[in-house]
Amino acid sequence: MVLRQRYLARNGNGRVIETPRQMFKRIAADVARAERRYPDKTRLPRAAMRFYEMMASLDFLPNSPTLMNAGRPLQQLSACFVLPVEDSLSEILESVRNQALIHQSGGGTGFSFSRLRPQDDFVASTSGVASGPLSFMRIFNLTTDVIKQGGMRRGANMGVLRVDHPDILDFIALKTNPHEMTNFNLSVGLTDAFMEARRRNERYPLLNPRTGRPVGRIPARTVFDRLVAAAWTSGEPGVLYLDTINRANPVAHLGAIEATNPCGEQPLLPYESCTLGSINVARYLLRQHGRTEIDYSRLAETIPLAVRFLDDVLDRNRYPLPEIEAATLRTRKIGLGIMGFADLLIALDIPYDTEEALRTASRLMAFVQSHAHDASRRLAEERGPFPGYEGSRFARRRDPRRHATVTTIAPTGTISILAGCTPGIEPLYAVQTVRTIMDGTRLVTLHPAFRRMARAAGLDVSRLLPHLNESPSIRHHFGVPPHLRRLFVTAHDVDPAHHVRMQAIFQHYSDSGVSKTVNLPNAATTAQVADAFLLAYRLGCKGLTVFRTGSRAQQVLSCAVTQ
Ligand code: ADP
């Protein structure tokens, strides 16, 4: 259904003119054309066929824009962009224009608004006062309302403001009004200096970005407490740990990172874009001696093929702006990740909220990371390192790389639906999910493994439906055998600290960021939100988003439940 509505090619009258197989053939043939750019002896034999098989089997899917646009007139293949916003009217409006072009082509945009002078600051040209970042942000939000992507989905944005910007308190409170910035996810850019001031209960300076001078000092805990209260109320803003992000930036010689793409998993330099792709790990199972295990040898075949596919996508991509083409091809960032992790755990008989699940995550992602790096190294030998390599951390270690970053955990909001698996590394959202698609159609799906195992246990599933229609969780439903109650853990059943620890493990083995929501029960306290932010910082996460059940927040992204 989602496939038909969004991705299959249409003719001029809007009629669907391709089958899913034809869609995968279209993408595979187009992406494989990049192989011809390189010397004959380095070409991947049967590349189009191998790419086709990898997608048609639903082992791997690239991000939505590649599915929609590869081999079609638009040919814009990236999901993630970051655009600069400089402190002049013409540069701000230039950025709005670029945002519109990107949204039209199916991409999402992230912005740092930290360079804009604060509200009521001096404006020389008019001898007047500045309206400040928040009023300009509203223009970006409005533009998004107006431009629907290919008529199917609205664009998504990330807006970042540094914690030392003078307008930070207004920024923090912005989305507690449900009518504000509805097409944006907001994140406060936290610094180590701020976190240290919070720990010591000290004041820290607010800086005017126009002059670089302090305009006042404010208690760090006041700001932190307001941030926590807003996140408790509305799920926003989230946080980005900017110094953690920049410590991990392998191309620091090209500039510092100030912003990420809309869902936070891809920190990028201004004008960079990134293409994502995810392996459906639930398809990598091996049944041996009556036990189910992860099929690492088949995974070892898919990972380099997926890295090569994404490298080819970089060459086939038609970038919306020359600046984006230049910045993207300079670092050649790609984002290979996984989806279907919760399904994999269920097949392995491991509840998500256990130490065993954390150990499994660690082994799995370490494997993906090391094989993906090897693949990037081999491509560097065949095709050359990324052009910005000299001066990078890899050059200092004499470690050849084709890509400045290789791994990312994306939300996989739409592609996990196509693959029929759980999104990204999230636990089940509910044992039975209801999705309302854009035209209002409701899709009700009972988790297939649950249906199978419940039947095998002699359970009449239809008698459970009244409960499943009411509640996402079966943990406390005594009509279900204890083993199933334990195994089918939903996001609401998982302790917030465990969510954070899971995110931290995937972060440890990912070059870029990790998309993950930390769910909190409705009765959670603000202290629990604060604990989650502090734990994430301590464990080396690059950011964090919390979501308290029943709070008003509606995520902008294409999450399963909001489809
Ligand atoms: P998909 O499953 O559609 O490939 P994801 O849910 O994994 O996409 O999101 C990956 C990235 O794609 C996001 O971080 C964002 O940059 C972009 N993205 C997702 N949804 C949208 C949207 N509605 N509009 C624009 N960009 C989006």
Side-chain angles (χ1 to χ4, degrees):
M1 179 97 72
V2 171
L3 191 68
R4 213 183 144 72
Q5 282 199 331
R6 293 217 180 136
Y7 299 131
L8 301 182
R10 290 163 189 268
N11 66 12
N13 304 326
R15 274 197 40 201
V16 171
I17 51 163
E18 71 180 355
T19 63
R21 285 181 55 163
Q22 287 168 331
M23 175 185 84
F24 290 128
K25 286 220 165 101
R26 156 170 66 77
I27 302 161
D30 186 80
V31 173
R33 286 177 65 183
E35 296 282 331
R36 296 192 211 148
R37 296 166 53 105
Y38 299 98
D40 277 3
K41 60 179 186 322
T42 67
R43 270 187 213 165
L44 179 70
R46 298 173 48 249
M49 197 56 185
R50 296 175 69 180
F51 291 161
Y52 169 80
E53 281 164 4
M54 176 168 74
M55 290 185 285
S57 59
L58 304 176
D59 283 352
F60 164 91
L61 287 178
N63 57 206
S64 290
T66 305
L67 294 174
M68 291 189 277
N69 300 333
R72 291 172 68 188
L74 207 51
Q75 196 65 22
Q76 195 297 98
L77 311 179
S78 311
C80 316
F81 296 80
V82 162
L83 290 171
V85 186
E86 297 294 342
D87 187 33
S88 77
L89 194 55
S90 67
E91 285 167 306
I92 293 170
L93 294 176
E94 174 76 16
S95 190
V96 172
R97 167 187 170 270
N98 294 341
Q99 175 204 28
L101 292 175
I102 292 170
H103 284 192
Q104 231 177 5
S105 72
T109 40
F111 309 89
S112 163
F113 295 103
S114 303
R115 291 169 183 248
L116 300 188
R117 71 191 67 186
Q119 189 177 3
D120 298 336
D121 194 34
F122 179 63
V123 180
S125 55
T126 59
S127 301
V129 293
S131 38
L134 268 59
S135 21
F136 287 114
M137 283 165 59
R138 294 190 177 101
I139 304 181
F140 288 83
N141 190 54
L142 195 63
T143 313
T144 311
D145 269 332
V146 178
I147 298 182
K148 267 197 185 174
Q149 303 178 336
M152 286 323 292
R153 64 177 188 181
R154 243 190 300 144
N157 301 279
M158 169 67 85
V160 183
L161 199 70
R162 281 177 66 96
V163 71
D164 49 17
H165 191 283
D167 294 352
I168 193 64
L169 288 178
D170 292 336
F171 178 86
I172 286 172
L174 195 54
K175 285 197 77 169
T176 51
N177 174 351
H179 304 297
E180 281 281 10
M181 300 300 289
T182 47
N183 303 309
F184 266 76
N185 292 322
L186 298 185
S187 283
V188 176
L190 299 178
T191 59
D192 286 349
F194 171 82
M195 295 304 278
E196 185 58 16
R198 191 216 68 89
R199 195 178 65 79
R200 297 181 178 206
N201 198 6
E202 288 174 355
R203 289 170 180 263
Y204 73 102
L206 296 176
L207 305 170
N208 181 336
R210 182 174 60 81
T211 60
R213 284 206 279 276
V215 295
R217 295 174 69 80
I218 181 169
R221 294 217 175 159
T222 303
V223 175
F224 190 75
D225 291 349
R226 296 257 195 113
L227 168 63
V228 163
W232 183 90
T233 307
S234 64
E236 295 214 50
V239 295
L240 291 176
Y241 300 108
L242 291 178
D243 291 319
T244 308
I245 288 174
N246 279 296
R247 268 192 294 277
N249 177 10
V251 288
H253 63 301
L254 300 178
I257 289 176
E258 299 173 34
T260 68
N261 69 327
C263 305
E265 73 276 16
Q266 196 63 46
L268 294 171
L269 293 166
Y271 288 121
E272 267 185 335
S273 70
C274 183
T275 318
L276 312 174
S278 300
I279 296 176
N280 174 7
V281 290
R283 290 198 30 88
Y284 290 78
L285 290 167
L286 194 63
R287 283 178 194 82
Q288 258 184 343
H289 316 302
R291 288 193 45 190
T292 304
E293 290 167 15
I294 298 178
D295 189 347
Y296 279 110
S297 65
R298 207 164 73 76
L299 206 49
E301 288 168 14
T302 304
I303 295 166
L305 191 62
V307 168
R308 184 153 190 139
F309 178 97
L310 293 173
D311 192 58
D312 285 349
V313 166
L314 279 165
D315 292 334
R316 290 296 304 156
N317 205 342
R318 190 173 310 141
Y319 297 90
L321 295 168
E323 293 90 335
I324 292 177
E325 177 162 359
T328 306
L329 294 181
R330 191 174 51 176
T331 52
R332 300 188 71 88
K333 289 182 178 172
I334 56 172
L336 177 68
I338 66 162
M339 56 184 166
F341 178 63
D343 285 333
L344 174 82
L345 288 180
I346 289 170
L348 296 173
D349 200 28
I350 302 170
Y352 189 96
D353 57 346
T354 56
E355 296 296 315
E356 183 61 17
L358 296 174
R359 281 194 293 272
T360 305
S362 177
R363 269 197 303 272
L364 174 65
M365 201 58 204
F367 186 90
V368 172
Q369 171 86 325
S370 84
H371 283 253
H373 285 174
D374 284 348
S376 180
R377 249 176 233 127
R378 278 198 301 275
L379 279 171
E381 279 152 17
E382 279 181 23
R383 299 179 167 182
F386 63 91
Y389 177 82
E390 285 311 322
S392 73
R393 180 177 303 162
F394 306 118
R396 287 198 293 282
R397 293 188 208 138
R398 299 186 195 290
D399 180 5
R401 289 297 172 97
R402 179 73 174 157
H403 318 94
T405 66
V406 186
T407 47
T408 301
I409 303 291
T412 71
T414 312
I415 63 170
S416 66
I417 298 175
L418 300 187
C421 64
T422 47
I425 59 161
E426 299 291 359
L428 296 188
Y429 186 75
V431 178
Q432 174 184 265
T433 49
V434 181
R435 290 189 193 105
T436 311
I437 322 191
M438 241 174 145
D439 69 355
T441 322
R442 279 160 55 90
L443 279 179
V444 182
T445 329
L446 183 62
H447 194 278
F450 179 77
R451 184 187 293 276
R452 201 176 51 246
M453 292 174 77
R455 283 209 182 126
L459 212 66
D460 179 357
V461 175
S462 66
R463 294 183 61 183
L464 279 180
L465 291 182
H467 173 85
L468 294 174
N469 289 338
E470 293 278 300
S471 161
S473 166
I474 51 165
R475 179 145 285 189
H476 303 293
H477 190 290
F478 294 106
V480 178
H483 178 65
L484 296 187
R485 278 196 269 145
R486 190 71 199 93
L487 186 58
F488 287 85
V489 184
T490 66
H492 318 266
D493 305 321
V494 178
D495 182 59
H498 189 85
H499 276 291
V500 175
R501 289 174 68 202
M502 188 62 90
Q503 177 176 333
I505 283 178
F506 278 98
Q507 183 59 72
H508 188 71
Y509 296 109
S510 299
D511 298 333
S512 292
V514 173
S515 167
K516 172 100 187 73
T517 300
V518 171
N519 293 81
L520 296 159
N522 182 261
T525 59
T526 50
Q528 284 176 289
V529 175
D531 286 349
F533 282 157
L534 295 175
L535 181 63
Y537 178 62
R538 204 154 44 80
L539 295 182
C541 294
K542 290 185 177 169
L544 197 78
T545 310
V546 299
F547 183 85
R548 188 171 59 90
T549 309
S551 69
R552 198 168 9 68
Q554 274 232 337
Q555 277 168 300
V556 183
L557 49 132
S558 52
C559 247
V561 272
T562 56
Q563 273 307 297

